[in-house]
Amino acid sequence: MRFLAVNLSSFLVELSSLDETLALFDSLSAAPEKGIEEIIPAARTLLVRFCPRETSLASLAEKIACHSLTQRAARGSQQVTIPVHYNGEDLPVVAELLGIEVQALIRRHQEFVWNVAFTGFAPGFAYMVSDAGGWQTPRRSTPRTRIPAGSVALAGEFSGIYPQASPGGWQLIGQTELKMWDLSREQPALLMPGAQVNFIDAARSTKTVSLPARVLPQSLPEGAGATLTVLATGLQTLWQDNGRAGRAGMGLSESGAMDKSALHAANRIVGNPANSPCLEITQGGFRARVTGDVVISVTGALCPLTLRTAQGERYAVDGYRPLNLATGDEIHVGAPARGLRSYLAVRGGFIVPQSLGSAARDSLAQVGPEPLGVGDILATGAHSNPGPVQLNELPALPLPTPEDTVTLDIVLGPRTDWFTAQALEVLTAQCWQVTPQSNRIGLRLVGEQPLARSQHQELPSEGTCSGSIQVPASGQPVLFLHDHPLTGGYPVIAAVAEYHLDLAGQIPPGASIRFNVIRPFLEIAGSKTSDHRDA
C-alpha cells in the first residue's frame, strides 16, 4: 500500500489491483477505523476522508496497513437485468481490438455476470467488472464531445452505462432504454456497489425487467407564512445548504453552498439553524417582492442592497444585518464590488423540497430544486420557533475584486510526482487567472506556462475532493469546487486547504490566484513516513 496525502483531512490508499482495492474497502466497511468519515473506492485507490480532531493520516495508515487485502465480503443480493440494443458505433473497433467477431463480442458481454465495483464520474454511473475477467478495452484516442444517455460502453476492464448525455472516451457497444438515475425512484441509482448485472439482447428478449419502487413527490408542509415573489434572478440564483455528504455510493459529491461560512452567518442573523436552505445569488441582479412581514439577511459578496417600499421610497441597507420587510416591499441585490456569491436567508426559514436529504442544487448531477425563475413564489415558515436575531455578525474574511490576486494555501499531492520539477516551480511562482468558463464545478485557470507532466501513462479513475487541482492534457489546471465529479482520470497535483475553500468559492472571473504550499508531497509506506519533493 501507498498512502498519499490529498489535503488536510483526506488521503489516497493506492493498491496494485481492483481486487485488492475492493477487499480493503470491504474490510474497512466491516471493521471501521475511528475517525474515518467517508471512503470512496475507485479502480486502484481508496479516497479516505477523516476527522483531524480524532485521528491523523499517520495513525490511520498504520492501522489500515494491517487490514486484509485478500478476503472479500459477501456482495449484495441486488440482481439487475439490463436489456441492450447492440448497435454501438464502436462494436467493430472493439471486436477487432479483442481479436473476435462482432457477434462473439456481443455473446461474451452477455454470458457472464457483471459486478458493480464502485460508482463515480456522474450520479448513477457504475463501474462494472466481469466475473470472467479478461476485458481490457483501450479508450478512444479522441473522446466524444457528447455521448447519449443510456449508452452501454467498455473501457479497460470495465463496462458502464452513461446515465445522462455527457462527453466521454469509452467505446460504445450499445444502448439501453432503462434510466440509470431517476430521482422519482426510492433508490435513484439503478446500480449500486455490490449489485450483480446481467445484460440481455433487447431485440430478442421478452423478459420483464423490475425497477426500484417509485415515490410520490414531496408535498410542502402546512403552515407556510409570508412569501417572496421573484422579480429577477440575475445570472443564477440557486437553493443551497450544507449539501449531501455521504452519498458517494450513488456517485454524488457533497455539493452545497460555495461559501458555507456566509450561508451560516445569514441563518444565524435571522435566528435559523445554520444549515437552513438559503438563496445563493451569483453576481447580484436578484429582486423579490414580499407578501406579509418578514425579516431577511444578506451575506457573502458585498453587494449594494436597496429596499424599495410599497410606497416607492428607496433606501440603501446594509448586509450582515437583519432587515424587516412588509407587504409590497422589494429587496434589490446589486452587482457585487467584492466576491461573487451572496446568500439571502429569511427568518423562520424557506420551505424547500428536499432531494436525498438536502435542498442543495448540484449543477453537475442535476440534483436538487431547479434554479429559481422569474415569477417563482417562495414560501417561508419552515421553523416555527426561530431564535433571536443577531446584530454582531461580520464577514469571515475580505473578499476579492476581479483585479485582485488571491493567495490560496495548498497541500501537494496525491500525484505531485507525476509532474516535472519545473511544473512544481511554475505552480507556485506564476499567477493563475480565473477564466469566465468557471462555475460551481470548478475554477478553470490559465497561466503563461502550462504544467508539464513527467509521467504520461493513463491514470485509472480515482476519487477527488473539493479543492483538488486537476491538470488535464492542456497543462492548464482546474480547481474543483463543491459540484465536482466524484472521480476523475487526470492527475491532481495539489489541493487547496479546506479553510480556504469558502474563499475559493468567492473568487470572481478575472481575478488571479497564487498558490502557497503549506505541506510538501507526503507519502507513507506502511509505518514509515517520508517526504518527497521533485528535485
Side-chain angles (χ1 to χ4, degrees):
M1 298 183 202
R2 293 175 73 207
F3 297 86
L4 307 171
V6 172
N7 57 22
L8 299 177
S9 60
S10 301
F11 60 90
L12 281 182
V13 186
E14 184 183 73
L15 300 116
S16 61
S17 68
L18 177 62
D19 284 341
E20 285 190 357
T21 302
L22 296 180
L24 180 58
F25 178 67
D26 289 345
S27 180
L28 287 171
S29 299
E33 298 293 348
K34 182 181 179 182
I36 292 180
E37 295 182 334
E38 188 170 32
I39 304 175
I40 300 173
R44 301 289 184 275
T45 58
L46 297 179
L47 176 63
V48 179
R49 184 166 58 86
F50 64 94
C51 177
R53 295 187 300 274
E54 296 182 13
T55 186
S56 66
L57 191 162
S59 174
L60 283 174
E62 185 174 354
K63 294 173 181 176
I64 292 173
C66 298
H67 281 251
S68 170
L69 299 182
T70 58
Q71 296 183 351
R72 296 285 307 278
R75 308 311 290 168
S77 59
Q78 184 190 18
Q79 306 281 334
V80 182
T81 299
I82 297 181
V84 178
H85 297 279
Y86 286 95
N87 54 7
E89 297 177 42
D90 300 323
L91 266 175
V93 174
V94 176
E96 183 178 352
L97 288 169
L98 297 178
I100 57 178
E101 298 293 328
V102 168
Q103 289 304 315
L105 168 62
I106 293 172
R107 286 195 303 273
R108 185 178 171 191
H109 191 247
Q110 297 176 57
E111 283 175 354
F112 300 101
V113 173
W114 291 80
N115 299 290
V116 178
F118 58 94
T119 58
F121 174 65
F125 190 97
Y127 291 77
M128 294 173 272
V129 291
S130 169
D131 270 350
W135 292 83
Q136 281 299 329
T137 310
R139 287 175 168 82
R140 287 173 55 87
S141 56
T142 303
R144 290 181 170 88
T145 57
R146 186 182 185 278
I147 293 177
S151 295
V152 181
L154 298 170
E157 63 201 296
F158 301 108
S159 185
I161 303 172
Y162 285 81
Q164 59 192 32
S166 65
W170 288 34
Q171 305 278 8
L172 305 185
I173 64 169
Q175 186 80 15
T176 182
E177 295 169 0
L178 297 186
K179 285 187 176 182
M180 295 298 106
W181 179 262
D182 186 349
L183 282 169
S184 69
R185 295 194 298 242
E186 187 175 0
Q187 177 187 295
L190 181 62
L191 302 178
M192 297 288 287
Q196 295 183 327
V197 178
N198 290 101
F199 293 102
I200 59 175
D201 192 330
R204 299 180 181 179
S205 176
T206 58
K207 184 174 181 179
T208 301
V209 177
S210 60
L211 296 175
R214 298 178 71 87
V215 294
L216 295 174
Q218 290 179 314
S219 58
L220 294 177
E222 297 180 0
T227 61
L228 278 71
T229 300
V230 178
L231 305 177
T233 63
L235 179 65
Q236 184 183 63
T237 298
L238 303 175
W239 293 110
Q240 293 296 340
D241 52 24
N242 275 356
R244 46 182 69 82
R247 301 286 182 174
M250 294 184 180
L252 281 175
S253 60
E254 184 173 312
S255 189
M258 287 289 104
D259 185 348
K260 288 185 169 61
S261 63
L263 171 97
H264 298 162
N267 278 312
R268 286 194 299 265
I269 289 168
V270 294
N272 293 340
N275 184 37
S276 299
C278 288
L279 302 182
E280 181 180 83
I281 302 163
T282 300
Q283 292 188 327
F286 178 83
R287 291 190 293 123
R289 181 183 298 119
V290 170
T291 301
D293 290 326
V294 299
V295 176
I296 69 167
S297 63
V298 180
T299 61
L302 299 180
C303 300
L305 303 176
T306 304
L307 165 61
R308 182 182 183 277
T309 69
Q311 292 75 36
E313 299 169 320
R314 292 177 177 269
Y315 300 95
V317 294
D318 294 329
Y320 283 86
R321 292 289 184 273
L323 174 65
N324 186 71
L325 302 177
T327 295
D329 289 350
E330 296 179 7
I331 183 67
H332 297 190
V333 180
R338 291 182 171 273
L340 184 64
R341 296 178 171 93
S342 304
Y343 295 85
L344 190 153
V346 60
R347 181 169 172 81
F350 289 107
I351 300 175
V352 191
Q354 304 278 305
S355 295
L356 302 175
S358 169
R361 176 65 179 180
D362 186 325
S363 60
L364 175 65
Q366 301 294 295
V367 175
E370 292 291 326
L372 270 66
V374 173
D376 286 353
I377 298 176
L378 315 181
T380 69
H383 312 300
S384 57
N385 295 301
V389 297
Q390 302 293 323
L391 302 176
N392 57 355
E393 288 286 341
L394 295 171
L397 69 171
L399 298 182
T401 71
E403 291 74 39
D404 286 343
T405 297
V406 181
T407 298
L408 298 177
D409 291 344
I410 60 172
V411 173
L412 293 183
R415 298 298 174 189
T416 310
D417 54 349
W418 281 49
F419 295 85
T420 65
Q422 183 185 15
L424 293 185
E425 293 178 5
V426 169
L427 177 67
T428 56
Q430 76 177 8
C431 290
W432 300 91
Q433 189 174 47
V434 178
T435 70
Q437 290 72 39
S438 302
N439 52 31
R440 284 180 51 87
I441 297 169
L443 299 180
R444 294 187 176 273
L445 309 179
V446 61
E448 290 185 9
Q449 298 183 64
L451 300 175
R453 286 169 57 171
S454 58
Q455 298 187 41
H456 298 279
Q457 69 268 32
E458 190 171 283
L459 177 71
S461 294
E462 57 190 28
T464 62
C465 63
S466 294
S468 293
I469 303 170
Q470 190 183 72
V471 185
S474 67
Q476 302 291 354
V478 178
L479 197 171
F480 279 161
L481 297 177
H482 291 323
D483 286 1
H484 66 88
L486 193 70
T487 58
Y490 292 115
V492 170
I493 191 171
V496 172
E498 292 89 317
Y499 54 78
H500 271 170
L501 288 178
D502 285 349
L503 176 58
Q506 290 284 15
I507 301 176
S512 295
I513 295 175
R514 187 178 290 276
F515 294 119
N516 173 55
V517 176
I518 61 169
R519 193 171 74 186
F521 173 41
L522 176 62
E523 175 187 349
I524 297 178
S527 60
K528 297 179 181 180
T529 304
S530 57
D531 288 350
H532 295 258
R533 297 176 190 261
D534 281 359

